[in-house]
Structure formats: structure tokens, C-alpha cells
Amino acid sequence: MMQRASEDEYLNPGKKTIDYRADHGSEDPRTPNSEVSQEWQGWKEQSQQRRLRYFIPDWDDLVDPRYDFENERYSNSTGPDDRGSGGWENEVFAHQIYDTPSYDGILVSREVLQKSKKKKNALEELADGNGGIHRYLRAPASFPVMGDCGAFGYVDQEEPPYSVDDVLDYYTRHGFNYGISVDHLVFGADDREGQRYRYDLTLENAQEFYDKHQAQGREWVPMAAVQGWNVDSYVQAAQECVAIGYDYLAVGGLVKSTTVEITSVLEAIRDAVGDDIRIHALGVARFASIRDFLRIGVTSVDSATYLRRAWTSRKDNFWTRDQQVYSALRVPGPKRALRSAAKKQAKEKAKKRGMSPEKKEMFVDEAVEAHLRERLVQAMEMEQECFDQLRAYGNRASNAPSADDLVELLDQYQGYVGRDCLREHYRATLQARPWERCDCAICERDGIEVVIFRGNNRNRRRGFHNTRVFYDLLGQVLESGESVTIQRGVKAEPELFGTGIS
């Protein structure tokens, strides 16, 4: 059972969980990192003064602060033969690592929460005055946490899986600061009749949600979900929600829209509802849009793009404050890489030979096992050599290889296990040493490990770094009004160059 926070611990959380730069381990590395972060000095006032506030969506993004990179073991490992595992008890959020958060709040989608039985049960233990969502996120009670239903998760269903009464109770029991009404994505319908049904349902839910929120005296701020299929429908929905009584609108369903389309919708809504109504743009925090958002008067945005590009992008993984982006250096696990390559080749051979499903399955299994027997031992040795040489390079050791020699080494290993090597991109990353130019706690302590593409504890650390960079660059735009243009470390356009980052 999860350890509950006392009322005193929750309201007066004390010191920050860890000093990331200094904490390389403890006498008992299995000690939970479960303390709630302190109220960051001066942060609240600075955040409230920002003309555009940034919320990070929660996707269970945690890291083990005492992860052993050299032996690939979690801090709860009991010995050499036990790799250990990650979990809420021995991992931390980004805002526990940095001196101040890299965002102005957190957006928690119920659909994301529901997918993890463990997380759902943990939150139930913390509900009803036991710390709630803030205790789970290890954030002080004053830190803004916004909730929505996560309509993308049920876009293919005819009806939302949650009732208005259920969602009202959910936001209240878990202590959210803001709660968005129950919506249904309009673009999930196949025709205009279906779109109209979802549109009307979202507005009906908004009416019931607001009326019951007011009648029941709920203390958190209600937000109206605004959906549509064109500018006029969005404007009509926004006007109806304001007439209901809302002063904070959450405009959704725009993630797949172009930057121009998003700006047109938000600008039309602002013109229709006036300057006193707050507007949150769901999922569209793009650099290409920021100056337009400021002109329009958008209150807040959210996006996890910079975090997730750390491991979802093929080439653009590590962002810097001087507006550069670099590729992470891939060192794939040998067994998994070999198995994947052998399986793909065997399936192609089986298809050409016209094998039956039964024979194909047996053929593929035998081919994979034979490939592993032939190559795994050598691959493991090559993998270790890559790590050894990367660390020597990162530490500027006297025997460190050159950037060109490291690229050759990585190319040989990736080719041996059946992967492609981004030679020029790796060379650019190694020559620039961008982790050395960063003064964030993660880069200062973990060095070159941050730019190695391998496993949750490296990839999400890189994502935390990217989010920090995004937040800092966003602050620069808010202060100066100047645009941000991201360039690759090599002479090629980033994958999201030109359309902005969403």
C-alpha cells in the first residue's frame, strides 16, 4: 500500500526531494523519493506574471535519480543479478530535479490515468483529503493541476465513457485546481450528422457540468470544452459556453490542424467572447504560433512534444537554448536488435517461399534463435566497447577516441545488429558536445549519458532537458517578442521546421 502523506506533510511539504547535482546515491538506495516538493521560492509570482502559461501533460514520465548507467540497474536492485525496476516509489518527476519547474502547471487526462491500474489504485488511496493528485505528482497544493477526460482515448466510441456527475466527483475527490467539462471529439465522426451529435453533446455536457458545479459549491475552477469543425462552429460553441457562465474555455480538437487554421479559430473566438474570458489551447504549444497566441491573448497552452521528441523522433532528440537540435546517439540493446532484424528477414523469406502460417512461425523462430547464437556474444562485446568509448569521449579522457573514430565504432555496431547509423548526425552531436554547453542539473550530472538513445532513464532525462529548454525559450519569446527558429546541428531542416512544434 502506498505511504500516505499526513495533512502536515501535504500542506507543509518541507525541503525538495533531492539535490540532483549532488545526490549520486545513498546508504539505502531503495529509500522512496516520495516527499512532496517544496513551494519553489519566487516561482509562483513569476509564473503568474507570464502572459502565456505552459502546462505539461502527464504521461507517467519519471526517472530513477540514482539509476546506475554503467551496470544498467535501478536503485532498488538487490545485486548484480537483479536489474531492479522503476516505479513511483523510487522514481521522480522533472519538477523534483530542477530548482524550479519547467512548466506552469500539469495537465492530467483521465484516459491516461485509467490505462494504468497501479496508478489508478494509487490515486484512489490518496483521494478524499489524503493529498490527492498533488500528492501523487509530488507537487505543492498551490501548483496548478488541470484535469480533462482525455477525449482522444475514446474518440472511436459512440459516447464518452464518463458521466458529468462522475467527472465532477473525480475532480473534487482528487483535488484538481481546474477541471474541463466532458467532451467528445467532433472529428472522430464520419459525417456531418455524427459531428453535429458530438458537438451538441459536448455543449449539453458543458451546461450540466457548470450548473451542477455551481449548485454543489465545488471549489475548483470549471473550464468549458469547446469543439467544432470550422471557425463558425467553434465561435458558436465558445459563445454558448460564455453565456452559460464560464470564464475559462478549453479549445480542443486542433492538434491535427495547421498553424494558420489554429490561429484563425482562436482569433475568431477571442473576437467573439471579448478580452475578459480566459482561453486554453489544448495540445498546440508551437513556436510558430506563440507570437500569434500573445497577440490574440491566449491564456495557456499544453504540449508534450519536446519531451517526447527525445525518443519518438528519428533525428531531432536534443534541443539547446541557442536554438539548435541534435540527434541522440543510438546504442540499441543487442539481443532485441538482433531478434528484430532476424525476424524481419525470416518473415520476408517465408513469404517468398509461400509457407503456411504454421511453417512460417516455426521457420521464423528457428531463424531468430540461430541468428542470436551466431551473433549475440560478439554484439554484446561491441556494445560494451561503444559505451566505454562514449564515456571516455564524454569525460575527455586522455585515451578518448576522436569524434570520427566514435562514429565508425557506432556504425560498425549498428550495422552488426541490423540497424542504420545516422553518421553525419552523430558526428555533429559529438563535435558540438551540446551537453557540455548546458547548465541544467541533468546535463551537469549525467553528461554524455543524456545524449545516448537507450532506455527510459536516458531518454526521459533528455526529454526533461528538452522541456526545460522549451520553457526557457518560451520565456524569451514572452519577454522579447522575437521568434524562435530551430536549426539542426547539421545542414538539414529539423523534422518539424517550418510548421512549428506541436
Side-chain angles (χ1 to χ4, degrees):
M1 180 176 291
M2 178 178 293
Q3 179 184 358
R4 296 192 178 192
S6 67
E7 183 176 0
D8 181 67
E9 287 175 313
Y10 175 59
L11 297 176
N12 302 287
K15 66 179 182 178
K16 191 171 67 170
T17 304
I18 57 171
D19 182 346
Y20 191 80
R21 287 182 174 88
D23 185 8
H24 289 268
S26 68
E27 292 182 5
D28 182 4
R30 289 167 290 177
T31 301
N33 301 301
S34 57
E35 294 87 352
V36 178
S37 292
Q38 67 178 358
E39 182 74 61
W40 301 278
Q41 185 175 5
W43 171 84
K44 184 176 181 180
E45 293 74 17
Q46 294 174 8
S47 174
Q48 290 178 341
Q49 290 173 5
R50 290 170 76 101
R51 289 188 291 158
L52 180 65
R53 301 173 74 186
Y54 169 61
F55 284 70
I56 185 80
D58 171 50
W59 287 90
D60 293 324
D61 295 303
L62 301 99
V63 299
D64 186 338
R66 303 181 184 99
Y67 186 79
D68 180 352
F69 291 111
E70 291 193 11
N71 295 296
E72 301 291 354
R73 289 204 295 263
Y74 286 86
S75 60
N76 58 6
S77 166
T78 58
D81 296 327
D82 174 27
R83 185 167 182 263
S85 61
W88 188 86
E89 295 79 6
N90 64 311
E91 294 187 315
V92 297
F93 295 93
H95 52 268
Q96 293 180 271
I97 290 177
Y98 292 114
D99 294 333
T100 57
S102 304
Y103 26 82
D104 301 297
I106 300 174
L107 172 65
V108 178
S109 292
R110 192 170 183 182
E111 276 293 291
V112 175
L113 184 154
Q114 297 286 120
K115 291 179 179 179
S116 169
K117 184 177 180 180
K118 184 177 181 181
K119 183 175 181 179
K120 181 180 177 182
N121 292 339
L123 281 169
E124 277 301 309
E125 289 187 26
L126 297 173
D128 303 317
N130 289 302
I133 191 65
H134 290 82
R135 179 69 182 84
Y136 183 83
L137 296 172
R138 303 197 192 105
S142 60
F143 190 70
V145 179
M146 183 184 294
D148 74 359
C149 293
F152 273 97
Y154 53 83
V155 64
D156 295 328
Q157 299 181 34
E158 292 186 8
E159 303 278 345
Y162 313 113
S163 69
V164 169
D165 288 329
D166 174 50
V167 173
L168 286 165
D169 288 341
Y170 162 75
Y171 291 148
T172 301
R173 294 183 63 235
H174 295 296
F176 283 83
N177 304 95
Y178 302 89
I180 301 174
S181 60
V182 185
D183 59 340
H184 210 12
L185 290 174
V186 168
F187 66 72
D190 295 328
D191 52 35
R192 184 50 53 84
E193 181 181 356
Q195 291 176 345
R196 188 78 208 190
Y197 174 78
R198 290 174 177 233
Y199 180 83
D200 291 340
L201 177 62
T202 298
L203 287 172
E204 291 168 7
N205 285 340
Q207 177 77 64
E208 182 183 356
F209 188 83
Y210 185 84
D211 290 345
K212 290 183 175 179
H213 176 279
Q214 298 298 298
Q216 296 164 6
R218 311 274 182 171
E219 295 182 356
W220 42 270
V221 177
M223 299 174 64
V226 176
Q227 296 284 343
W229 58 83
N230 59 21
V231 171
D232 290 342
S233 60
Y234 270 104
V235 168
Q236 180 182 346
Q239 290 176 317
E240 289 192 31
C241 289
V242 171
I244 289 170
Y246 287 98
D247 64 3
Y248 207 164
L249 307 178
V251 183
L254 295 173
V255 172
K256 297 182 179 181
S257 302
T258 66
T259 298
V260 172
E261 290 169 341
I262 293 168
T263 301
S264 297
V265 168
L266 294 176
E267 191 166 33
I269 289 175
R270 172 57 74 206
D271 290 342
V273 302
D275 295 335
D276 295 333
I277 302 301
R278 292 174 288 176
I279 297 175
H280 180 90
L282 286 161
V284 291
R286 302 178 180 179
F287 272 132
S289 305
I290 298 303
R291 290 195 296 176
D292 284 329
F293 287 176
L294 291 175
R295 175 178 55 81
I296 294 167
V298 174
T299 309
S300 52
V301 294
D302 70 87
S303 175
T305 293
Y306 277 88
L307 173 80
R308 300 181 68 79
R309 296 295 286 180
W311 63 89
T312 61
S313 173
R314 184 166 182 263
K315 298 176 181 177
D316 300 335
N317 311 117
F318 186 94
W319 307 78
T320 68
R321 290 185 183 86
D322 57 359
Q323 302 179 32
Q324 300 285 316
V325 60
Y326 295 91
S327 298
L329 310 170
R330 285 161 170 76
V331 185
K335 189 171 185 178
R336 184 175 180 178
L338 287 169
R339 185 180 295 278
S340 175
K343 192 172 185 178
K344 180 180 179 180
Q345 293 176 355
K347 282 184 175 181
E348 291 175 353
K349 289 181 179 180
K351 183 178 180 180
K352 289 180 179 179
R353 297 176 185 180
M355 293 183 180
S356 65
E358 295 79 10
K359 286 186 177 181
K360 177 182 176 180
E361 182 178 1
M362 184 179 299
F363 175 78
V364 170
D365 288 344
E366 290 177 352
V368 168
E369 292 306 314
H371 194 65
L372 288 174
R373 286 195 300 270
E374 178 185 348
R375 294 202 165 207
L376 182 56
V377 172
Q378 178 66 24
M380 291 173 66
E381 293 175 357
M382 295 174 72
E383 173 204 30
Q384 187 59 53
E385 180 66 11
C386 285
F387 276 120
D388 290 344
Q389 295 303 315
L390 281 167
R391 288 172 183 138
Y393 187 85
N395 293 330
R396 293 185 178 269
S398 59
N399 62 341
S402 67
D404 288 340
D405 288 343
L406 252 182
V407 171
E408 290 299 326
L409 187 65
L410 291 168
D411 190 12
Q412 290 173 14
Y413 172 63
Q414 291 188 16
Y416 191 77
V417 298
R419 297 287 179 88
D420 294 328
C421 181
L422 303 172
R423 293 177 59 93
E424 294 308 311
H425 295 273
Y426 290 178
R427 182 175 286 106
T429 301
L430 290 166
Q431 290 176 343
R433 295 177 174 265
W435 64 91
E436 292 185 350
R437 305 201 308 268
C438 180
D439 61 359
C440 84
I442 287 175
C443 289
E444 282 196 352
R445 199 190 85 169
D446 298 323
I448 198 171
E449 301 288 348
V450 183
V451 297
I452 296 176
F453 195 114
R454 175 72 173 266
N456 176 76
N457 273 284
R458 293 183 183 86
N459 294 345
R460 274 182 168 75
R461 275 174 170 80
R462 189 166 58 254
F464 289 176
H465 156 90
N466 288 348
T467 304
R468 188 71 172 184
V469 169
F470 171 77
Y471 191 65
D472 289 347
L473 290 176
L474 175 60
Q476 292 180 26
V477 176
L478 299 183
E479 289 181 10
S480 68
E482 297 179 359
S483 62
V484 170
T485 303
I486 304 297
Q487 300 287 342
R488 271 203 185 125
V490 296
K491 293 183 179 180
E493 291 184 345
E495 293 174 7
L496 294 177
F497 182 82
T499 59
I501 307 298
S502 64

